[in-house]
């Protein structure tokens, strides 16, 4: 197995050379729609016809919920960042506060679906990775027992694809086919 550093918009791989492609981070850091669609198009090019592309995104509401659960939202400077996040998805940590994530793009769930479609991919589903579970610290103790873990997973499965609550998950994954 090999690994190489590259740019998701220009993959140094042959056409249709893979069964699947994982974009687990590039879409966060490509702040223009055009660049995100190019990266998704490159992933589509790299997989064989019928191959799968898994594309992760950060939810538009992640900073709001994370700020509330972790306390940063009570800082007026962080609230200004969140206000901008909610308007256009452009997360700008211009003060470079290491607790407030880097410059990034935060998606609406349907927007991720649309970008995949515009890249020529057939979107099979968009799911919330954590659901609201990541905002509920009291679940950590429950996760440690088999019955507690099973209950939490049942709850996550019940809503992971529900459009009305997808944005409550910090991370989203689009599952798409070339």
């Amino acid at each position: 197995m090999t690994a190489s550093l590259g740019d998701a918009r220009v993959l140094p791989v042959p056409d249709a050379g893979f069964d699947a492609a994982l974009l687990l981070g590039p879409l966060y850091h490509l702040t223009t729609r055009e660049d995100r669609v190019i990266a998704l198009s490159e992933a589509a090019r790299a997989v064989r016809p019928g191959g799968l592309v898994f594309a992760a995104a950060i939810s538009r509401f992640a900073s709001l919920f994370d700020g509330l659960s972790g306390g940063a939202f009570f800082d007026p400077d962080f609230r200004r960042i969140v206000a901008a996040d909610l308007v256009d998805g452009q997360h700008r940590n211009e003060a470079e506060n290491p607790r407030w994530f880097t410059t990034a793009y935060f998606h609406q769930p349907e927007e991720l679906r649309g970008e995949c479609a515009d890249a020529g991919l057939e979107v099979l589903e968009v799911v919330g990775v954590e659901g609201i579970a990541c905002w509920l610290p009291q679940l950590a103790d429950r996760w440690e027992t088999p019955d507690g873990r099973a209950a939490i997973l049942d709850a996550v499965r019940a809503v992971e694809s529900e459009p009305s609550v997808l944005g409550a998950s910090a991370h989203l994954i689009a599952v798409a086919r070339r």
Side-chain angles (χ1 to χ4, degrees):
M1 180 169 4
T2 61
S4 61
L5 178 63
D7 183 328
R9 297 166 295 184
V10 186
L11 296 175
V13 299
D15 293 355
F18 299 91
D19 293 328
L22 307 176
L23 282 79
L24 303 178
L27 299 185
Y28 311 166
H29 302 292
L30 297 171
T31 58
T32 69
R33 185 179 198 288
E34 178 184 11
D35 282 343
R36 293 189 301 275
V37 172
I38 290 170
L40 289 160
S41 297
E42 273 291 276
R45 179 191 64 76
V47 300
R48 64 173 171 71
L52 297 175
V53 173
F54 299 86
I58 297 175
S59 165
R60 179 71 52 96
F61 306 98
S63 280
L64 172 65
F65 295 142
D66 186 59
L68 283 170
S69 69
F73 195 73
F74 300 94
D75 181 314
D77 292 331
F78 187 75
R79 280 200 309 278
R80 280 190 283 281
I81 292 172
V82 170
D85 294 351
L86 296 174
V87 169
D88 62 11
Q90 298 291 328
H91 181 83
R92 297 287 185 255
N93 181 2
E94 293 174 2
E96 297 183 14
N97 185 322
R99 298 174 298 142
W100 297 347
F101 203 55
T102 188
T103 293
Y105 186 77
F106 296 165
H107 279 83
Q108 291 276 10
E110 283 305 308
E111 185 178 29
L112 177 59
R113 181 180 292 278
E115 289 174 5
C116 289
D118 288 350
L121 292 163
E122 173 194 0
V123 179
L124 303 176
E125 65 181 331
V126 174
V127 297
V129 175
E130 306 93 346
I132 64 165
C134 66
W135 312 123
L136 303 171
Q138 68 273 23
L139 295 180
D141 292 337
R142 299 286 189 161
W143 185 257
E144 299 304 319
T145 69
D147 288 343
R149 181 176 295 123
I152 292 168
L153 290 173
D154 284 347
V156 170
R157 287 183 192 109
V159 297
E160 70 185 0
S161 298
E162 170 53 45
S164 65
V165 294
L166 279 179
S169 184
H171 296 90
L172 308 165
I173 291 192
V175 181
R177 181 175 24 233
R178 175 179 170 196

